[in-house]
Amino acid sequence: DAGITQSPRHKVTETGTPVTLRCHQTENHRYMYWYRQDPGHGLRLIHYSYGVKDTDKGEVSDGYSVSRSKTEDFLLTLESATSSQTSVYFCAIREDITGSPLHFGNGTRLTVT
Amino acid sequence: EDQVTQSPEALRLQEGESSSLNCSYTVSGLRGLFWYRQDPGKGPEFLFTLYSAGEEKEKERLKATLTKKESFLHITAPKPEDSATYLCALMMNTGFQKLVFGTGTRLLVSP
């Protein structure tokens, strides 16, 4: 299994509160990604990182920010959680972008009440 | 717009009953296609990469094939442990970072 750890695995929070999800990898891969998975939708990209301090937006980035201060850690922050952000969040890593696949963590289930 | 459609949404098979899952797409330029397996409560697990029409990859009871418009995941003599959701994802010639995922096929194999 790819060495990816997501924390927490489950979280319940209230609308309007900030939330940070953590992804930690032991593979030393350059590329890291945050996706959300919702019923009826494919996995959708929130943000990605192509190196320490280098990040970019994905297709559903509104309301989310990310940070990567070390190769192994990629943080996703919901600045002010809303009910529409209730979802399962997956972190993924990738060795290169020319053809290697993404490898996923086991996700964080977030419920915003 | 790049699109991917997986069918059927759900499939129920008896153990040993072979079948195929479909991933059809309309994209401007395909660089590669990935197949993943996802178990409940887990992240997607990588199965195969296909790069060009005519290519085939096999692993145990699974075989993935690719044409210019679609990919198939053939499951031969499935077992209950093959029950999972199977996802396909497209990597385009432009924007390598941004894979386009299908919504998956939920496979249930009964003993």
Side-chain angles (χ1 to χ4, degrees):
Chain A
D1 290 344
I4 308 167
T5 304
Q6 291 187 235
S7 59
R9 290 298 315 278
H10 302 272
K11 186 168 182 67
V12 180
T13 193
E14 292 185 350
T15 298
T17 60
V19 177
T20 295
L21 309 183
R22 180 178 183 244
C23 178
H24 178 79
Q25 62 144 331
T26 58
E27 306 296 320
N28 201 36
H29 285 349
R30 178 179 174 186
Y31 301 94
M32 298 186 74
Y33 304 78
W34 278 107
Y35 283 85
R36 61 178 289 173
Q37 188 174 42
D38 303 289
H41 294 273
L43 285 154
R44 292 181 291 173
L45 181 64
I46 305 171
H47 281 280
Y48 63 95
S49 170
Y50 46 97
V52 174
K53 297 191 187 322
D54 292 322
T55 64
D56 205 349
K57 296 179 180 180
E59 61 182 307
V60 290
S61 60
D62 287 348
Y64 301 95
S65 62
V66 290
S67 66
R68 192 168 177 201
S69 59
K70 297 186 289 185
T71 298
E72 58 266 35
D73 291 326
F74 193 31
L75 304 180
L76 176 70
T77 297
L78 288 65
E79 293 139 11
S80 177
T82 68
S83 58
S84 64
Q85 293 176 313
T86 293
S87 187
V88 181
Y89 292 87
F90 288 100
C91 173
I93 64 174
R94 196 176 189 187
E95 189 170 6
D96 63 68
I97 62 168
T98 59
S100 63
L102 273 68
H103 296 281
F104 289 85
N106 282 325
T108 294
R109 181 173 294 276
L110 177 68
T111 302
V112 184
T113 62
Chain B
E1 184 182 342
D2 299 323
Q3 288 193 335
V4 56
T5 302
Q6 290 192 246
S7 61
E9 287 187 16
L11 181 63
R12 194 167 204 157
L13 299 174
Q14 289 295 121
E15 185 171 2
E17 180 187 2
S18 302
S19 188
S20 298
L21 314 182
N22 179 261
C23 172
S24 63
Y25 53 86
T26 53
V27 298
S28 53
L30 183 70
R31 179 171 181 83
L33 185 146
F34 302 113
W35 279 100
Y36 287 86
R37 169 195 171 121
Q38 186 174 20
D39 293 298
K42 299 286 186 69
E45 175 188 349
F46 169 69
L47 293 173
F48 303 111
T49 308
L50 300 167
Y51 290 106
S52 57
E55 188 175 2
E56 298 183 352
K57 293 276 181 72
E58 283 189 70
K59 180 181 179 180
E60 295 181 354
R61 296 176 292 281
L62 300 177
K63 183 169 79 173
T65 62
L66 183 66
T67 72
K68 289 186 178 179
K69 294 183 178 180
E70 58 192 347
S71 177
F72 289 95
L73 185 65
H74 305 280
I75 303 177
T76 302
K79 298 182 178 182
E81 53 261 42
D82 295 321
S83 298
T85 295
Y86 291 87
L87 306 172
C88 67
L90 311 181
M91 177 174 55
M92 265 57 74
N93 280 328
T94 57
F96 296 166
Q97 299 278 16
K98 301 175 185 179
L99 304 190
V100 178
F101 280 85
T103 53
T105 294
R106 293 190 314 276
L107 174 66
L108 177 63
V109 182
S110 303

